[in-house]
Amino acid sequence: MRIIRAKDYKDMSRKAANIISAQVILKPDSVLGLATGSSPIGTYEQLVKWYEKGDLDFADVTTVNLDEYYGMKPENDQSYHYFMHDHFFDHVNIDPSRINLPNGMEPDEKKECARYDAVLRSVGDVDIQLLGIGRNGHCFAKGTHCVELTESTIEANKRFFASEDEVPRRAYSMGIHTIMTAKKVLVVASGEDKAWAIRESCFGPVTPKVPGSILQLHNDAIVIADEAALSLCGDFL
């Protein structure tokens, strides 16, 4: 696991976007694994800026997203489908037929998990999997699964909803097998609230209690974290 120190969120976002843009330039038909949440927003914004300047072309890129809330319509402004279109897809020239997310509106869990696993197999290994840190939703399940969101995840997500009662309790989520078979994993983290998760994920034992810790076993995992997120790692760096 390689750790890249960033000054702040903006610097972290630019460094992450640099790695993703290099991948797309070198391999125009790359498969990108994408994440939602506040951590990667700046990365998407930087990629959009470079696309608008003519530096990037996403026409042949394929994307697969980590997850989607169970029971949430894609047009709901809190869905991960909406998030991705709002922050990235609608601003670049990506082919809509190459965009892949779990279908949160499929009530049959077994059917949707099998469908999304088939999609993941069809696109081949992910070239870069972008991840945030601190979400406990993925556990160590091998394939796509419907996960019960932890209290910490619900607490983190409630700021996006009118009340905590509106926060979904379940989500379809990509399995750890897909993440671990990605050729490169890129983790972004910013802020003191991520400091414990970064320390335990990078330097603690590999345990399902800290899902990010399994990335210690990946042969090409990069963590880009700002000074605040690395504040508890001084003894290890």
Side-chain angles (χ1 to χ4, degrees), residues 84-121:
M84 289 306 307
H85 280 270
D86 187 44
H87 290 288
F88 187 50
F89 296 150
D90 290 350
H91 307 286
V92 297
N93 65 329
I94 191 165
D95 183 344
S97 69
R98 294 179 178 270
I99 296 171
N100 300 285
L101 296 94
N103 176 15
M105 291 306 294
E106 173 55 66
D108 187 328
E109 298 175 20
K110 185 176 181 180
K111 179 180 178 181
E112 177 55 20
C113 292
R115 182 198 71 83
Y116 202 56
D117 279 340
V119 168
L120 295 172
R121 288 193 298 271

Side-chain angles (χ1 to χ4, degrees), residues 208-222:
K209 294 181 179 179
V210 184
S213 64
I214 199 172
L215 296 178
Q216 294 178 40
L217 307 180
H218 196 281
N219 61 8
D220 191 5
I222 301 173

Side-chain angles (χ1 to χ4, degrees), residues 14-44:
R14 188 177 182 87
K15 283 179 165 64
N18 269 327
I19 292 173
I20 295 172
S21 63
Q23 172 66 41
V24 173
I25 290 169
L26 292 171
K27 185 185 178 187
D29 61 346
S30 291
V31 178
L32 303 181
L34 302 179
T36 54
S38 57
S39 296
I41 288 177
T43 300
Y44 295 140

